[in-house]
């Protein structure tokens, strides 16, 4: 009768998406520090990336390592590309857009192959 507020599988995906956000933040600080100098950006980078790896390890409790890592890297790549265009004014050529679309398609295929039931997450 009692239903958990948050299933282990849902919690694993929340941890994975939090890890992706931390990866994007950390890598953005790396770019800022490399362009502007100073060590403060590198300190923020190290902290955000360390937190990203920790959250990724928590996500592995409910998601297989191959799927979690593929989603973490792929969505991190896409998110960082969006940040670099928006924040750093970088331009994308059509080949890069096609590559990003193919990466997203690949992530979708990998994720759909993952078992999504509670027994697989336990």
């Amino acid at each position: 009768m009692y239903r958990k507020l948050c299933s282990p599988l849902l919690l694993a995906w929340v941890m994975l998406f939090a890890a992706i956000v931390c990866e994007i933040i950390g890598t953005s600080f790396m770019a800022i520090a490399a362009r502007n100098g100073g060590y403060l950006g590198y300190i923020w980078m190290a902290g955000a990336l360390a937190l990203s790896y920790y959250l990724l390890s928590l996500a592995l409790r409910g998601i297989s390592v191959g799927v979690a890592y593929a989603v973490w890297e792929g969505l991190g790549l896409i998110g960082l590309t969006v940040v670099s265009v928006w924040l750093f004014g970088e331009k994308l050529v059509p080949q890069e857009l096609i590559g990003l679309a193919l990466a997203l398609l690949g992530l979708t295929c990998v994720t759909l192959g993952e078992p999504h039931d509670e027994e697989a997450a336990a």
Side-chain angles (χ1 to χ4, degrees), residues 4-25:
K4 289 184 180 180
L5 184 62
C6 186
S7 73
L9 185 59
L10 177 62
L11 186 59
W13 281 100
V14 168
M15 292 296 114
L16 181 58
F17 284 109
I20 293 166
V21 169
C22 289
E23 180 197 9
I24 293 168
I25 291 169

Side-chain angles (χ1 to χ4, degrees), residues 7-97:
S7 73
L9 185 59
L10 177 62
L11 186 59
W13 281 100
V14 168
M15 292 296 114
L16 181 58
F17 284 109
I20 293 166
V21 169
C22 289
E23 180 197 9
I24 293 168
I25 291 169
T27 309
S28 297
F29 271 110
M30 180 181 8
I32 291 169
R35 292 174 184 193
N36 299 331
Y39 292 102
L40 188 58
Y42 291 116
I43 293 169
W44 281 102
M45 173 202 74
L49 291 177
L51 180 59
S52 177
Y53 274 98
Y54 175 70
L55 293 169
L56 176 62
S57 72
L58 294 178
L60 295 180
R61 294 178 180 175
I63 304 169
S64 69
V65 67
V67 171
Y69 189 77
V71 172
W72 180 71
E73 273 301 317
L75 291 183
L77 168 75
I78 292 168
L80 189 58
T81 301
V82 169
V83 168
S84 69
V85 167
W86 173 63
L87 189 62
F88 302 123
E90 296 178 4
K91 305 288 184 217
L92 295 177
V93 296
Q95 293 89 339
E96 292 170 321
L97 291 171

